[in-house]
């Protein structure tokens, strides 16, 4: 319907240009939006207000000329001018109802498109250090990142999901020392405990399995423990593999999979970090100061220059990040999206500056970033801070065990990434309309129940009769529901382009609200065969769109609740 109105307005503009009412070079972006108040029609445009100045007319006068130039259309029942020059369109029932046919014909494909034209996109998300179980912040990144990948795939992109393992550096050294201490029966409250050691119960489990000579099967390696508490390198290798397997299990429980697991250590082993340093030096963008090697990132928009190699010869995290992103570019990913925590905000400018300094043809502003804010978990109104197993934070597995995968995923992805999130365990567990995921899933289950009722009453859905009876769907609540269904493809396209999965979550809540309102206002199981089947068709179309939207969120669509 929206596309039809845009086409009608385009024709009207051409007529006004031919008449001399508008300049011939007029080429506005036509904006048509759903109305908030149905008394003002189904869709509205501010086109007359936008063009009044170049046309040299009052907005309302131009609106009248625009309406007069509109071609006749069976899709539009009425057009009205409101306020200073808004044009409101009332959809004809027959035209609005055709979305029901479109949804049922397209099925799982409704809402999907080829706008991405097969373009390669790499999405890096989670990318947790293999030093402990995934915490709830990682969970938010996993939910947003996976939903974003689903949206990009739904809009025709060729998506690669990538997890970057920081398996080198000081934190991994601390992990090995912590496991070694536990293997030697040293407790965290002992003076001999490593200064920056990890204290969670999982360290005890790693040490126990190491001493027992266990074999760990991680995604790309199989490591058998030597059992020697004095062999720190063997402990490090085993502990990293053990935590990688642990995180794999967390992700599997969360329904998240990756195409590529990239190891930070491989950048060193393959000489890519050193090659990056040499390239930056050769480009004349570095200097020595106080025994350290610096990069002039201020030449590329950073607020200060950055150390690449410290005076002790070790590299800062900044340098392997630049080397890693150069590798992404060289792998052919012209579009890269990094979904990370807001604590990575300071790295955005310096990584982009480092990439520009390489003079490798990488465009400014590459890669893209989606940064999520912190998550606070509450129970009974009180913040939950500790997990005994992790030692100092709430894990993803804690939440999944408490409220289930569906609620965890929906809650973590249903808010803008840049907004702080309070995860209310009590709300997520409740079976009430206040629980957003329950509210949406219940709408789906309600349609399933309606279809079962029709079958049990000996009045199964007759698709052919329904399709010729769609014009009977003329109640205000039915029209509102159909208009909502028609917006789904646009929501998917816009959410993918804006990198905002929460737009789909909000749409699903609005769709569920429209359905529940319609269900309560309009009786479906009536004796009139035409009307009953038309209303069943509307319900089934709603069920299909709910299922399609929930799938984009990685959430199930239950048939019974």
């Amino acid at each position: 319907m929206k596309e039809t109105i845009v086409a009608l307005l385009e024709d009207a503009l051409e007529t006004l240009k031919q008449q001399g009412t508008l300049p011939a070079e007029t080429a506005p972006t036509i904006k048509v939006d759903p109305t908030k108040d149905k008394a003002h029609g189904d869709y509205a445009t501010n086109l007359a207000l936008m063009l009044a100045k170049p046309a040299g007319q009052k907005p309302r006068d131009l609106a009248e000329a625009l309406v007069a130039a509109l071609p006749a259309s069976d899709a539009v029942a009425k057009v009205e001018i409101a306020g200073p020059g808004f044009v409101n369109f009332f959809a004809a029932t027959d035209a609005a109802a055709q979305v029901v046919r479109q949804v049922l014909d397209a099925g799982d494909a409704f809402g999907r498109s080829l706008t991405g034209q097969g373009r390669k996109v790499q999405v890096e998300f989670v990318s947790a250090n293999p030093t402990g179980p995934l915490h709830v912040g990682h969970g938010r990144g996993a939910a947003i990142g996976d939903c974003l990948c689903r949206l990009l795939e739904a809009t025709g992109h060729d998506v690669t999901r990538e997890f970057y393992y920081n398996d080198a550096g000081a934190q991994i050294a601390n992990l090995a020392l912590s496991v070694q201490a536990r293997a030697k029966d040293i407790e965290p409250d002992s003076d001999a405990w490593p200064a920056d050691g990890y204290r969670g119960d999982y360290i005890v489990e790693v040490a126990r399995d190491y001493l027992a000579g266990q074999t760990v099967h991680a995604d790309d390696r199989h490591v058998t423990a030597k059992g020697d508490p004095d062999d720190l390198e063997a402990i490090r290798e085993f502990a990293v593999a053990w935590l990688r397997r642990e995180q794999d299990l967390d992700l599997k429980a969360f329904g998240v999979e990756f195409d590529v697991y990239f190891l930070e250590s491989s950048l060193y082993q393959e000489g890519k970090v050193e090659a990056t340093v040499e390239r930056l030096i050769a480009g004349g963008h570095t200097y020595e100061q106080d025994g350290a090697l610096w990069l002039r990132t201020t030449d590329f928009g950073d607020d200060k220059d950055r150390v690449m190699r410290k005076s002790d010869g070790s590299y800062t995290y900044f340098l392997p990040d630049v080397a890693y992103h150069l590798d992404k570019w060289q792998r052919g990913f012209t579009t890269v999206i990094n979904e990370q925590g807001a604590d990575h905000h300071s790295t955005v400018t310096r990584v982009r500056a480092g990439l520009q300094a390489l003079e490798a043809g990488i465009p400014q502003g590459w890669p893209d970033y989606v940064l999520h804010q912190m998550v606070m978990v509450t129970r009974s109104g009180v913040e939950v801070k500790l997990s005994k197993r992790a030692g100092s934070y709430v894990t993803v597995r804690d939440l999944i065990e408490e409220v289930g995968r569906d609620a965890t995923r929906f809650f973590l992805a249903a808010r803008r990434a840049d907004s702080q999130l309070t995860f209310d365990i009590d709300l997520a567990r409740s079976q009430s309309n206040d629980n957003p995921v329950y509210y949406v899933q219940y709408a789906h289950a309600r349609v399933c129940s309606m279809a079962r009722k029709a079958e049990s009453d000996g009045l199964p859905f007759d698709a052919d009769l329904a399709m010729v009876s769609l014009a009977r769907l003329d109640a205000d609540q039915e029209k509102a529901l159909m208009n909502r269904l028609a917006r789904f493809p646009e929501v998917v396209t816009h959410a993918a382009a804006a990198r905002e999965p929460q737009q789909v979550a909000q749409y699903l809540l609005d769709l569920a609200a429209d359905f529940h309102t319609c269900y309560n206002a309009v009786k479906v199981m009536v004796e009139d065969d035409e009307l009953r089947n038309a209303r069943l068709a509307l319900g089934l179309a709603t069920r299909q769109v709910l299922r399609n939207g929930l799938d984009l969120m990685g959430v199930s669509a239950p048939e019974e609740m």
Side-chain angles (χ1 to χ4, degrees), residues 314-348:
S314 64
Y315 293 116
T316 61
Y317 277 115
F318 158 61
L319 187 60
D321 279 351
V322 174
Y324 173 46
H325 283 84
L326 175 61
D327 182 87
K328 292 184 181 186
W329 178 260
Q330 292 172 338
R331 280 185 274 156
F333 293 112
T334 55
T335 300
V336 167
I337 304 168
N338 294 338
E339 203 297 330
Q340 297 172 320
D343 57 332
H344 287 79
H345 185 272
S346 61
T347 69
V348 174

Side-chain angles (χ1 to χ4, degrees), residues 128-133 165-168 171-183 198 202-211 214-219 221-228 231-248 389:
N129 294 331
T131 55
Y165 271 115
N166 296 102
D167 64 336
Q171 294 186 62
I172 299 300
N174 289 332
L175 171 67
L177 290 171
S178 303
V179 175
Q180 183 181 53
R182 284 292 194 180
Y198 295 95
Y202 68 94
I203 297 295
V204 178
E205 298 174 39
V206 180
R208 181 196 63 211
D209 288 352
Y210 175 77
L211 292 174
Q214 294 288 325
T215 298
V216 171
H217 302 284
D219 58 88
R221 63 181 67 185
H222 309 288
V223 178
T224 299
K226 290 186 177 180
D228 180 359
D231 192 335
L232 189 60
E233 178 56 29
I235 292 174
R236 186 202 65 78
E237 183 182 14
F238 180 81
V240 168
W242 199 99
L243 266 304
R244 288 186 63 182
R245 180 189 64 184
E246 185 78 359
Q247 292 181 356
D248 287 345
R389 186 156 185 273

Side-chain angles (χ1 to χ4, degrees), residues 238-453:
F238 180 81
V240 168
W242 199 99
L243 266 304
R244 288 186 63 182
R245 180 189 64 184
E246 185 78 359
Q247 292 181 356
D248 287 345
L249 294 173
D250 289 341
L251 292 167
K252 184 177 291 186
F254 208 41
V256 175
E257 297 180 353
F258 289 88
D259 303 303
V260 176
Y261 289 92
F262 193 101
L263 306 182
E264 180 189 359
S265 59
S266 70
L267 295 170
Y268 294 93
Q269 293 165 1
E270 298 172 16
K272 293 181 179 179
V273 172
E274 196 59 41
T276 301
V277 174
E278 293 171 0
R279 185 166 183 164
L280 291 169
I281 293 174
H285 299 296
T286 65
Y287 60 93
E288 296 270 357
Q289 182 177 305
D290 301 326
L293 181 65
W294 294 68
L295 180 67
R296 289 191 181 90
T297 53
T298 50
D299 291 347
F300 303 96
D302 202 358
D303 60 343
K304 62 181 180 180
D305 293 342
R306 304 291 175 176
V307 174
M308 296 193 306
R309 187 173 60 219
K310 294 181 282 189
S311 57
D312 63 3
S314 64
Y315 293 116
T316 61
Y317 277 115
F318 158 61
L319 187 60
D321 279 351
V322 174
Y324 173 46
H325 283 84
L326 175 61
D327 182 87
K328 292 184 181 186
W329 178 260
Q330 292 172 338
R331 280 185 274 156
F333 293 112
T334 55
T335 300
V336 167
I337 304 168
N338 294 338
E339 203 297 330
Q340 297 172 320
D343 57 332
H344 287 79
H345 185 272
S346 61
T347 69
V348 174
T349 301
R350 71 184 71 167
V351 167
R352 287 174 172 169
L355 292 169
Q356 290 302 300
L358 288 170
E359 299 177 354
I362 298 173
Q364 291 185 6
W366 187 95
D368 295 338
Y369 285 86
V370 174
L371 302 179
H372 65 261
Q373 288 288 342
M374 294 175 58
V375 181
M376 181 174 70
V377 181
T378 64
R379 181 190 286 111
S380 302
V382 178
E383 183 178 0
V384 179
K385 293 184 177 181
L386 300 181
S387 162
K388 184 174 186 295
R389 186 156 185 273
S392 60
Y393 56 82
V394 178
T395 69
V396 173
R397 206 176 300 181
D398 290 334
L399 286 184
I400 294 173
E401 290 174 356
E402 284 266 7
V403 306
R405 184 169 84 182
D406 285 347
T408 302
R409 286 192 61 126
F410 196 94
F411 271 59
L412 291 176
R415 293 280 303 278
R416 283 181 59 95
D418 60 3
S419 64
Q420 292 197 353
L421 173 65
T422 297
F423 193 111
D424 185 337
I425 289 177
D426 299 316
L427 178 61
R429 294 185 63 177
S430 69
Q431 295 188 353
S432 72
N433 289 342
D434 293 328
N435 178 350
V437 68
Y438 177 87
Y439 187 65
V440 174
Q441 288 180 319
Y442 180 55
H444 183 273
R446 205 172 197 180
V447 180
C448 294
S449 175
M450 186 170 69
R452 289 194 298 269
K453 178 73 164 59

Side-chain angles (χ1 to χ4, degrees), residues 119-139:
R119 289 190 293 271
K120 289 178 63 176
V121 179
Q122 186 221 58
V123 183
E124 180 207 332
F125 58 111
V126 184
S127 295
N129 294 331
T131 55
L134 297 180
H135 57 61
V136 67
H138 295 136

Side-chain angles (χ1 to χ4, degrees), residues 123 125 144-154 159-161:
V123 183
F125 58 111
I144 294 172
D146 187 56
C147 290
L148 181 54
C149 290
R150 290 167 183 258
L151 279 167
L152 290 166
E153 288 171 337
V159 179
T160 296
R161 295 163 164 83

